[in-house]
Amino acid sequence: MKSISFDTTNALCGGILTAVGLFFAWQSFGLELGTAFRMGPGYFPLVLSAVLILLGLIILIQSARVHSEPMGPIAIRGIFFILPAPIFFGLTVRGLGFVPSLFFTALIACFASSRMKPLWAIALSLALTIFSVGVFSYGLNLPFERFGPWTRF
């Protein structure tokens, strides 16, 4: 008789994703769901939690087929640059405005890789900022300040 072996890392990750998805699905039932055409405040969290449950179950099922692989080192540098970037954007977008906040957010996130050179980081941040201003400000006409009160002289 054959025994089923689980990759413990994938099984743990799949179980955690599924549990978190179930928790948020349960919490979203406390809000009004509405319909697909007239969504209530609980509709979108329920849909996102369903996607999270689905992805968790897929990972959990795949863990039964994959044999254990050693887990690589944790990317500490990535954690310390990627996580603060959107927090920085959220805290400064009203004061600095969209353009400087987005540029510095992208610049912070660029240094998550040890292979990123400063000149390339500046170029990439500038290109991302120009593209985003073009899409969100001119293409979609979203009403936000490009430069906030902290940048006015």
Side-chain angles (χ1 to χ4, degrees), residues 16-103:
I16 290 172
L17 283 176
T18 304
V20 169
L22 287 170
F23 174 75
F24 281 108
W26 178 57
Q27 291 294 319
S28 69
F29 283 121
L31 301 170
E32 181 185 340
L33 293 178
T35 64
F37 291 110
R38 189 162 173 83
M39 297 177 196
Y43 188 85
F44 193 64
L46 181 64
V47 170
L48 287 181
S49 63
V51 170
L52 193 61
I53 292 168
L54 179 67
L55 291 174
L57 290 175
I58 289 171
I59 292 171
L60 193 59
I61 290 169
Q62 286 182 345
S63 71
R65 295 187 297 157
V66 177
H67 294 291
S68 181
E69 298 174 4
M71 193 167 119
I74 296 175
I76 299 294
R77 182 180 175 130
I79 291 172
F80 284 116
F81 281 102
I82 294 293
L83 292 178
I87 295 170
F88 173 82
F89 182 80
L91 291 175
T92 61
V93 71
R94 286 191 178 158
L96 288 175
F98 183 72
V99 174
S101 291
L102 183 62
F103 177 78

Side-chain angles (χ1 to χ4, degrees), residues 77-152:
R77 182 180 175 130
I79 291 172
F80 284 116
F81 281 102
I82 294 293
L83 292 178
I87 295 170
F88 173 82
F89 182 80
L91 291 175
T92 61
V93 71
R94 286 191 178 158
L96 288 175
F98 183 72
V99 174
S101 291
L102 183 62
F103 177 78
F104 288 121
T105 299
L107 192 63
I108 292 168
C110 280
F111 289 109
S113 171
S114 60
R115 296 182 294 188
M116 181 62 74
K117 304 289 185 232
L119 188 61
W120 280 106
I122 292 171
L124 181 64
S125 300
L126 188 63
L128 180 68
T129 302
I130 291 169
F131 176 77
S132 297
V133 168
V135 168
F136 294 112
S137 184
Y138 296 111
L140 297 174
N141 290 327
L142 294 179
F144 57 79
E145 290 187 77
R146 288 185 200 101
F147 295 94
W150 297 350
T151 57
R152 294 189 185 120

